[in-house]
Amino acid sequence: MGKDGASISDDEWERFLREAEAGTQGAPEEPSARARMVARKLGEETGPPEAWRAYRPARRRSKGWYVVGLLVAVGLAVVALAPGRVVGWFAGDEGGNTPLAAESERPSQPPATESAAQLPTLDKPFRGSPAAQWSDGTAGIHLPAAHATGWMSKAQVAQALDRTRDFLSASSLEPAVLSGKRPSKAIALINPHQRDVQDFLATAFSTPSREDDPLLLFSRFSTTDVRLVGDVIKTRGRITYKEGDRGSVEVATDVTYVYPVRAASGSNEVARTIVRREVVMSWDDPAKVVIEPGTFSLVSYKVDTTNGGCDTFTGYLTPEFRDERASSGSGDGPEVDPYDRSKSMDARMREAEDAGCGTATRT
């Protein structure tokens, strides 16, 4: 949607792309060739295209005392912005303050720390957390104004941005997906001609592993073990874009999601799982890249998780609760504030290196 409120329908979008394909001079390149190019761009890596989709940190889980003693498991996650100068977030119960304005740029510092621990409850699952002032669902994801870029007009860029946010919703906010279902709507937006990505998806959902983990792109819980508390997921993040290779529109997303959960056994204890993802996608010119109308090519994707499991590759986020944390001990990695969005995930990776499961300062 552009500033003037204009938008283009799915039919118009597809017709435009078909017309662009019809005007092609010479055959477009296969997406896998483009993937190899991206791999070199990201790290001068050699070998098969797997490198570009595996450009991500190792999943980590850290454990630490939450202010006055709530031990938390964490997987080096970095979560959302809130300027440190805002000091009134935790002055009252959850929801007592106006939601923060959308994050249009990277913050300069982490959110303020509450003066006293306020543990989450079934009625107030975000209490004691900066996420209490975040927006719900896609409302917490800043969408920039659209401008003509690369091969796309202003209206087409607006459509691409809307569909980018649709992907984030379908991959990380859709109730059925969060309950462990296959993220069909999200997968349908990924270029089916990226054979390496399609192979990754097929393997990730059938036999998940460190290298082929669906949690790199999707948030899923096993309802056999845990249940979401309420129907609100708090988010903080932004979408940006620029002209990419071959005149494409390259869209970068950096979003943190906070999921309140309880044990499926019926316990009243509320824990929070925090996931930060950076996903870069390319809305390609069909005259230059083999792509289906209305889909994008994946460039890179990374994930950090807090209380989502460390070195447990089941295809589901696996939060821990108080008794489990007490028996499993503390993490051996560095301390991490999962709500600090003042640094990129790349910077966090360089700091943490391969230190294993870190320690969350709060959840």
Side-chain angles (χ1 to χ4, degrees):
M1 185 75 69
K3 281 185 177 179
D4 57 3
S7 63
I8 57 178
S9 68
D10 289 350
D11 289 340
E12 290 171 328
W13 173 272
E14 293 182 6
R15 183 173 67 253
F16 178 88
L17 292 177
R18 285 197 299 271
E19 290 172 352
E21 287 184 286
T24 300
Q25 295 182 2
E29 294 194 20
E30 292 289 340
S32 59
R34 184 182 184 286
R36 286 191 289 271
M37 179 189 67
V38 172
R40 293 195 296 273
K41 177 181 177 183
L42 291 177
E44 297 301 322
E45 300 188 26
T46 60
E50 186 276 339
W52 65 266
R53 67 172 173 78
Y55 184 65
R56 64 196 187 265
R59 290 180 60 222
R60 303 167 186 267
R61 181 192 66 195
S62 54
K63 301 172 187 173
W65 287 97
Y66 176 78
V67 190
V68 296
L70 177 60
L71 189 63
V72 294
V74 72
L76 176 63
V78 186
V79 162
L81 153 82
R85 58 179 175 271
V86 179
V87 297
W89 292 0
F90 308 99
D93 282 346
E94 172 184 329
N97 295 297
T98 303
L100 296 174
E103 180 188 289
S104 58
E105 60 184 17
R106 189 178 304 284
S108 60
Q109 55 189 321
T113 301
E114 64 275 25
S115 59
Q118 299 184 52
L119 300 182
T121 66
L122 294 176
D123 292 333
K124 297 180 173 64
F126 300 102
R127 189 171 67 172
S129 158
Q133 272 204 307
W134 293 1
S135 297
D136 302 350
T138 57
I141 304 173
H142 178 262
L143 200 64
H147 303 284
T149 303
W151 73 288
M152 288 184 168
S153 69
K154 175 182 175 180
Q156 288 140 12
V157 169
Q159 183 79 357
L161 293 174
D162 284 341
R163 293 197 172 192
T164 296
R165 190 165 58 179
D166 288 345
F167 174 80
L168 299 180
S169 177
S171 62
S172 303
L173 297 171
E174 177 71 32
V177 175
L178 296 179
S179 297
K181 303 298 184 183
R182 186 177 178 86
S184 300
K185 292 180 182 178
I187 291 174
L189 290 168
I190 300 174
N191 183 4
H193 297 290
Q194 278 194 298
R195 180 46 48 196
D196 297 311
V197 175
Q198 296 302 321
D199 289 345
F200 157 72
L201 293 172
T203 303
F205 287 104
S206 60
T207 53
S209 65
R210 180 186 295 274
E211 293 303 316
D212 296 301
D213 188 351
L215 299 181
L216 291 167
L217 284 169
F218 312 104
S219 292
R220 308 166 74 230
F221 295 89
S222 170
T223 55
T224 301
D225 302 315
V226 297
R227 303 288 172 83
L228 288 167
V229 176
D231 57 2
V232 173
I233 307 302
K234 294 290 187 176
T235 64
R236 188 83 178 152
R238 61 192 182 279
I239 296 173
T240 58
Y241 67 96
K242 64 180 181 179
E243 182 173 351
D245 299 310
R246 300 191 179 98
S248 67
V249 177
E250 185 172 288
V251 179
T253 71
D254 180 356
V255 182
T256 301
Y257 308 86
V258 182
Y259 305 98
V261 294
R262 64 186 296 187
S265 60
S267 168
N268 289 333
E269 180 189 349
V270 176
R272 288 186 287 255
T273 293
I274 306 169
V275 178
R276 180 180 178 182
R277 288 193 184 90
E278 289 183 3
V279 180
V280 179
M281 57 191 71
S282 180
W283 294 90
D284 293 317
D285 182 349
K288 300 175 181 178
V289 174
V290 178
I291 190 167
E292 290 300 310
T295 68
F296 60 80
S297 300
L298 277 168
V299 175
S300 65
Y301 39 102
K302 294 169 280 189
V303 63
D304 282 331
T305 63
T306 299
N307 195 23
C310 182
D311 294 329
T312 54
F313 304 102
T314 63
Y316 299 100
L317 294 162
T318 54
E320 291 184 345
F321 297 88
R322 194 172 295 115
D323 291 343
E324 296 169 308
R325 292 190 292 266
S327 64
S328 57
S330 178
D332 56 0
E335 289 191 350
V336 176
D337 178 359
Y339 291 97
D340 181 6
R341 288 179 55 86
S342 64
K343 296 180 180 179
S344 68
M345 287 176 62
D346 285 340
R348 287 292 186 184
M349 283 187 284
R350 287 192 294 269
E351 291 177 355
E353 296 179 344
D354 291 322
C357 294
T359 301
T361 58
R362 54 182 173 177
T363 65

